Amino acid sequence: MSPEQGAGVPDVELAPTPGSLPIIGRTEEVIPLAEEVLHLGKRTAETGRVRVSLSTETVEETLRETLRSQRTEIRRVPVGCEVGEVPATRQDGDVTIVPVVEEVLVVVRRLVLKEEIRLRLIDSEDSVETPAQRRVQRATVERLAPEQASSPAGVVEWTDNRKGSQP
């Protein structure tokens, strides 16, 4: 007797038959197991579309800026004195003095300061306003359901509303 068999249990030779498996003194039915195998796949599904339209408009604006300018005031000052050499151009405050000399023929040559030209720079500021136009673009975005879309899936449709431009 084998240790697996208990004492007092008759020896039975187990001979399996298809569909049944004998167990000591009785027969059991074998039920085949089924198993499902899942295969995962994916596909592209259109759920909607987006249409973007650009519109360009002209906006009237007023530009403001301060313009700076300079003008020169010229004053001729007669001097009429004799000098030994040509005086240099010089600065007296905000006035630039440009000497004008003339040769006068006498028995001896002498330089006579005939006049001085005095130049003064005068600063001024003027505020100006001038109208100007600039273009501004606005974008409109609308979502379309798949049944409203007129172009096939994967095709991007857009319109450029700028004058003279083609996409």
Side-chain angles (χ1 to χ4, degrees):
M1 196 168 13
S2 68
E4 292 87 26
Q5 298 173 347
V9 177
D11 285 44
V12 177
E13 187 172 315
L14 302 174
T17 60
S20 65
L21 188 63
I23 298 189
I24 306 172
R26 60 185 177 165
T27 303
E28 269 192 29
E29 190 71 27
V30 176
I31 299 173
L33 298 176
E35 178 179 336
E36 288 184 339
V37 178
L38 299 178
H39 292 282
L40 179 63
K42 61 182 178 176
R43 63 183 173 85
T44 302
E46 183 176 326
T47 60
R49 293 186 178 219
V50 174
R51 180 181 298 147
V52 177
S53 301
L54 293 179
S55 63
T56 303
E57 60 187 58
T58 302
V59 177
E60 191 75 28
E61 289 185 358
T62 300
L63 304 177
R64 290 177 176 83
E65 186 59 53
T66 300
L67 303 178
R68 298 180 188 274
S69 65
Q70 281 187 336
R71 64 181 176 83
T72 303
E73 177 184 274
I74 299 173
R75 190 174 66 142
R76 293 176 176 260
V77 178
V79 176
C81 70
E82 203 173 293
V83 292
E85 61 183 35
V86 178
T89 301
R90 64 186 189 276
Q91 205 58 40
D92 184 16
D94 63 344
V95 176
T96 303
I97 300 172
V98 179
V100 177
V101 294
E102 169 182 68
E103 279 185 346
V104 178
L105 294 176
V106 280
V107 179
V108 179
R109 185 186 306 181
R110 296 182 193 161
L111 294 176
V112 175
L113 181 60
K114 182 177 176 181
E115 69 178 337
E116 292 178 337
I117 298 175
R118 297 180 181 223
L119 307 172
R120 173 179 292 151
L121 296 177
I122 301 167
D123 293 333
S124 66
E125 291 184 1
D126 294 322
S127 293
V128 294
E129 293 183 4
T130 185
Q133 292 181 347
R134 67 182 179 98
R135 290 185 291 254
V136 178
Q137 285 190 333
R138 307 247 189 267
T140 305
V141 178
E142 61 180 299
R143 294 201 176 272
L144 302 175
E147 58 273 0
Q148 290 179 317
S150 60
S151 60
V155 175
V156 175
E157 181 180 326
W158 72 287
T159 316
D160 189 350
N161 295 332
R162 292 180 289 179
K163 240 183 186 175
S165 296
Q166 291 298 326

